[in-house]
Amino acid sequence: SKLEGAVLEIVKNAYDADATLCALYFDADNQKLWIVDNGCGMDEDIVKKHWMSIGFSDKDVELKSEKGRIKTGAKGIGRFALDRLGADCTMYTYNGGNHIVWHVNWEQFVRGVNINDVYADLENSNFIESGLFEKIGNNDFKNLVMNSFKTGTVFEISELRDTWNETFFKRFFI
């Protein structure tokens, strides 16, 4: 329910995916939040069967990651942290095979709507070749990401639920 906890869940997911980089960038001009990791990424099957399954925890299946890290995630709540951050989310993930783009507008989940009537879009699309990183306005952040991203996951979050400003960053990162 707290912003700090939501960001921590996303960072824990990156850690569990063996990422050596997990970076957060707030684009003030476009009011977007970018979270990027260079972990193992996901394929379509993992997104459908595991990442979007409520209560699924990969650490229940495998306690350690490929690189031997003890997994920290708990019952797959990291994906719902995205809802806490913003109403609109696009996830781009690449595992070395398929480029997967997943999009959801969390505002679909309103009272009185059956969860079976709510959908997320899922497609195969080479988001790297189509210029995803060019959408990032800060050149330092863009270069950091481009130089470290071989596989991993990118979240582009908009319609943010909090006001991101200097006061917020001081409270959040200190």
Side-chain angles (χ1 to χ4, degrees):
S1 65
K2 290 188 176 185
L3 181 63
E4 294 86 346
V7 172
L8 179 61
E9 286 301 324
I10 301 300
V11 172
K12 285 168 42 174
N13 283 355
Y15 177 85
D16 289 351
D18 286 328
T20 59
L21 170 80
C22 182
L24 182 143
Y25 169 66
F26 171 63
D27 178 351
D29 292 337
N30 296 303
Q31 292 294 300
K32 287 186 178 181
L33 181 63
W34 294 87
I35 303 174
V36 180
D37 75 61
N38 66 350
C40 60
M42 295 177 274
D43 62 23
E44 187 172 347
D45 191 52
I46 291 171
V47 172
K48 284 181 177 178
K49 293 182 179 174
H50 302 295
W51 194 73
M52 283 307 299
S53 293
I54 298 170
F56 176 82
S57 179
D58 186 52
K59 79 176 182 182
D60 290 341
V61 176
E62 190 67 44
L63 183 61
K64 291 186 178 182
S65 70
E66 291 285 322
K67 293 183 179 177
R69 293 179 178 175
I70 304 285
K71 293 184 181 177
T72 61
K75 294 295 179 203
I77 63 170
R79 71 191 70 78
F80 299 110
L82 298 169
D83 178 20
R84 170 61 185 85
L85 297 173
D88 195 74
C89 178
T90 303
M91 175 181 73
Y92 308 88
T93 188
Y94 178 62
N95 70 347
N98 295 314
H99 293 82
I100 304 297
V101 179
W102 174 87
H103 177 261
V104 69
N105 186 309
W106 295 104
E107 297 302 303
Q108 295 177 78
F109 293 91
V110 294
R111 294 181 198 265
V113 174
N114 187 319
I115 196 165
N116 293 328
D117 294 331
V118 177
Y119 296 93
D121 297 319
L122 182 66
E123 64 180 276
N124 289 302
S125 175
N126 190 329
F127 54 84
I128 295 172
E129 286 184 8
S130 63
L132 169 67
F133 297 127
E134 296 305 315
K135 292 170 59 176
I136 299 172
N138 180 293
N139 285 331
D140 291 334
F141 184 76
K142 183 183 340 184
N143 290 334
L144 172 72
V145 170
M146 290 175 69
N147 291 330
S148 64
F149 193 91
K150 305 293 183 257
T151 60
T153 302
V154 177
F155 294 104
E156 178 184 9
I157 306 165
S158 58
E159 298 179 39
L160 302 175
R161 301 195 190 281
D162 295 277
T163 301
W164 292 66
N165 56 31
E166 189 173 335
T167 304
F168 166 77
F169 281 107
K170 286 180 181 176
R171 177 180 60 88
F172 190 78
F173 290 106
I174 293 180

